[in-house]
Amino acid sequence: LQDKMSSQSENDLSCPVCRDIYRDPVILSCSHSFCRFCLQTWWRKNLKHNCPLCKKINLSNDPPRNLALKNLCEAFLLQRDKKPSAVSEPLCRLHHETLRLFCLDHQQLVCVVCRDSKAHQDHRFNPTEEAAQDHREELQKRLKPLQDKMKVFEQVKGKFDQTAKHIKVQAQQTEKQIKEEFKKLLQFLQNEEKARLAALRQEEKQKLRKMEEKIESLSRGIKTLSETIRATEEQLRAEDVSFLHNYKAAVNRVKQRPLMDAPQLVSGALIDVAKHLGNLTYNIWNKMKEKMVSYTPVILDPNTAHPQLILSEDLTSASLGGRQKVPDNPERCHYCKVVLGSEGFDSGTHIWDVEVGEEGFWAFGVVNESYERKVEALSGFWQLCFEDEKYIVQTSADTYKFLSVKKLQRVRVQLEYDRGKLSLFDLDANTLMHTFEHNFTEKLRAHGHCVSWSVVLCLR
């Protein structure tokens, strides 16, 4: 009965966090008490100053001491220390004395006899309490980079999870559009439909598998870091002597976890929607050999589109809309509201027509393959833009020319790559408006840029 009462008293005097007798207990406004060190550690992990038990927010950054509880704990420990203990403190193997000192030169626990021996002559010593505190701080510093890296990994994993979901959505939307296109065709085209869906399924499976492998690898890394952090944190909460006994092993465990760079989302991770939908009816017509279909020289790549640009189902026009939840993949334009063509041009002659609006702001033309998509581009583009009811041809922020033309509705873009010419024609007036001349050295992509809600750019 007495043992049960003693056990119950120890439970009542134990901190809910470390499960040990309170050390320097403090009391929160919700009346729950904790060791000061345990509470500060909890708040560093959780940021909000809430109670670890009831989660109620505590307004004070420096909660008061619970002196009554502190006195009870000290009395309990004094009474318990008077009783014979089944587990004695570790003793020096050489002199069977209590290990009360820590040799800073040999980094090991010693007794008072060891201190005066020749083996430790002229060495520096600290009491175990001071040495444990110093080494705890050092181990905490070594642990901090692992904790920070784990947070980064978790953030990257969240982005990868979002990308995996987006791949599935892309696959579903692409499948729907493919089926709608095939409904317009004759019955014997079902085999073609199955072939294209199979290609989509294969790409979806491959890219999801790659993404899932990255996520799985990242999860393993997070698990390993978590186990190391948990084991190290448990060691930090250990008694001084036990902590110092295991200190070297704890440091080695932390050192053995290299701080690898967080993996990044690579180009080509998303479904190549343009490959499946681009010129779909034209490619089918080539196989049919009996029915003419329209051919689109420019297919817009949705994986490059700014989050606020909405593309048509056939990927030939763009308009401004609400911000969409899409991955910030390397191909996507982030700074300007721009979308790029899916294919690049590095030879030959290419012609496409653009339908434009008569208000707001829009621009279109060609850009270099190396076009900076995450920042404002200052060079590497040749475009016609409409701003403040004026038509401007432009190659950089400072290089531009105003055109004396009436309101435009349809503009033909003619790229003669090998001759280094990009010509703009007013189709309604059947006149040449302007010709850019440049020695192109990079692959070029068509682009569209619109900022007004009422503007729709159609590239056909």
Side-chain angles (χ1 to χ4, degrees), residues 145-156:
L146 294 182
Q147 294 171 328
D148 294 341
K149 182 61 65 176
M150 182 177 177
K151 291 180 181 179
V152 174
F153 276 21
E154 289 174 342
Q155 292 173 355
V156 173

Side-chain angles (χ1 to χ4, degrees), residues 105-246:
D105 296 275
H106 284 170
Q107 291 289 299
Q108 65 181 26
L109 289 162
V110 296
C111 66
V112 292
V113 180
C114 292
R115 178 191 61 188
D116 299 329
S117 65
K118 292 183 179 180
H120 295 276
Q121 187 175 1
D122 298 328
H123 284 186
R124 298 166 300 152
F125 300 90
N126 271 353
T128 54
E129 296 82 0
E130 295 181 10
Q133 181 62 29
D134 292 342
H135 285 69
R136 275 196 176 91
E137 293 176 357
E138 181 182 351
L139 186 56
Q140 184 66 46
K141 290 179 181 178
R142 294 179 181 273
L143 180 63
K144 185 63 165 58
L146 294 182
Q147 294 171 328
D148 294 341
K149 182 61 65 176
M150 182 177 177
K151 291 180 181 179
V152 174
F153 276 21
E154 289 174 342
Q155 292 173 355
V156 173
K157 182 177 179 296
K159 292 182 180 180
F160 282 6
D161 289 337
Q162 180 189 8
T163 301
K165 292 178 182 178
H166 188 70
I167 290 174
K168 292 181 179 180
V169 171
Q170 282 188 309
Q172 293 170 357
Q173 293 175 344
T174 305
E175 177 182 350
K176 180 182 177 181
Q177 290 178 241
I178 290 175
K179 288 183 176 180
E180 289 176 353
E181 291 291 337
F182 272 93
K183 287 179 181 178
K184 302 174 184 178
L185 303 176
L186 299 175
Q187 186 64 36
F188 68 87
L189 291 176
Q190 289 181 348
N191 292 335
E192 179 71 9
E193 179 185 15
K194 293 179 181 178
R196 289 182 176 273
L197 289 176
L200 173 64
R201 289 282 187 268
Q202 182 179 6
E203 183 176 355
E204 177 192 11
K205 182 179 179 180
Q206 290 175 347
K207 292 188 174 180
L208 276 177
R209 182 173 64 250
K210 290 180 180 180
M211 191 55 58
E212 289 168 355
E213 287 174 354
K214 290 179 179 294
I215 294 173
E216 183 179 356
S217 176
L218 193 56
S219 298
R220 289 196 299 268
I222 291 175
K223 182 180 179 182
T224 302
L225 284 177
S226 178
E227 291 175 352
T228 302
I229 291 171
R230 179 186 55 78
T232 306
E233 288 176 343
E234 289 179 359
Q235 182 62 26
L236 287 170
R237 292 194 296 268
E239 293 292 336
D240 294 343
V241 173
S242 176
F243 166 79
L244 293 172
H245 265 299
N246 299 304

Side-chain angles (χ1 to χ4, degrees), residues 240-452:
D240 294 343
V241 173
S242 176
F243 166 79
L244 293 172
H245 265 299
N246 299 304
Y247 168 73
K248 288 185 178 179
V251 171
N252 290 333
R253 182 167 55 248
V254 171
K255 286 182 178 179
Q256 290 172 359
R257 295 290 177 258
L259 297 178
M260 300 179 295
D261 293 334
Q264 301 296 320
L265 188 64
V266 298
S267 297
L270 303 180
I271 296 293
D272 192 348
V273 180
K275 179 183 70 176
H276 295 284
L277 299 179
N279 295 322
L280 180 62
T281 54
Y282 178 78
N283 292 331
I284 296 173
W285 171 80
N286 278 334
K287 294 185 178 181
M288 293 174 61
K289 294 183 180 180
E290 60 183 39
K291 180 179 180 181
M292 293 296 295
V293 295
S294 61
Y295 170 71
T296 303
V298 174
I299 296 298
L300 301 178
D301 186 353
N303 294 342
T304 68
H306 185 277
Q308 284 186 257
L309 289 183
I310 307 298
L311 303 189
S312 61
E313 288 189 355
D314 61 359
L315 305 178
T316 62
S317 64
S319 60
L320 194 65
R323 193 173 189 88
Q324 307 169 86
K325 292 183 178 180
V326 292
D328 187 17
N329 49 296
E331 302 94 336
R332 192 172 306 283
C333 297
H334 179 78
Y335 185 88
C336 297
K337 297 176 178 62
V338 172
V339 60
L340 305 184
S342 62
E343 296 183 9
F345 309 124
D346 56 7
S347 64
T349 299
H350 307 273
I351 301 173
W352 62 94
D353 299 338
V354 183
E355 298 176 11
V356 298
E358 299 179 358
E359 58 183 17
F361 172 88
W362 52 255
F364 62 86
V366 296
V367 297
N368 282 329
E369 180 75 15
S370 60
Y371 173 77
E372 285 290 340
R373 308 179 189 191
K374 305 302 180 184
V375 299
E376 183 177 10
L378 299 178
S379 62
F381 62 87
W382 298 262
Q383 66 181 20
L384 169 65
C385 63
F386 180 69
E387 184 176 12
D388 297 331
E389 300 185 354
K390 296 179 181 179
Y391 296 97
I392 308 168
V393 287
Q394 187 178 27
T395 57
S396 71
D398 300 323
T399 307
Y400 58 88
K401 175 184 177 181
F402 292 98
L403 297 181
S404 299
V405 296
K406 297 181 179 180
K407 290 184 178 181
L408 298 176
Q409 292 182 338
R410 295 185 303 154
V411 177
R412 172 157 294 175
V413 181
Q414 179 172 307
L415 171 64
E416 299 173 272
Y417 188 95
D418 300 319
R419 297 180 61 188
K421 290 185 176 182
L422 178 71
S423 301
L424 302 172
F425 298 87
D426 180 352
L427 281 181
D428 296 312
N430 194 25
T431 58
L432 172 64
M433 297 185 295
H434 184 77
T435 297
F436 296 99
E437 293 188 359
H438 183 80
N439 182 24
F440 302 120
T441 57
E442 290 189 37
K443 183 177 288 188
L444 301 177
R445 285 200 185 194
H447 84 282
H449 182 187
C450 56
V451 177
S452 173

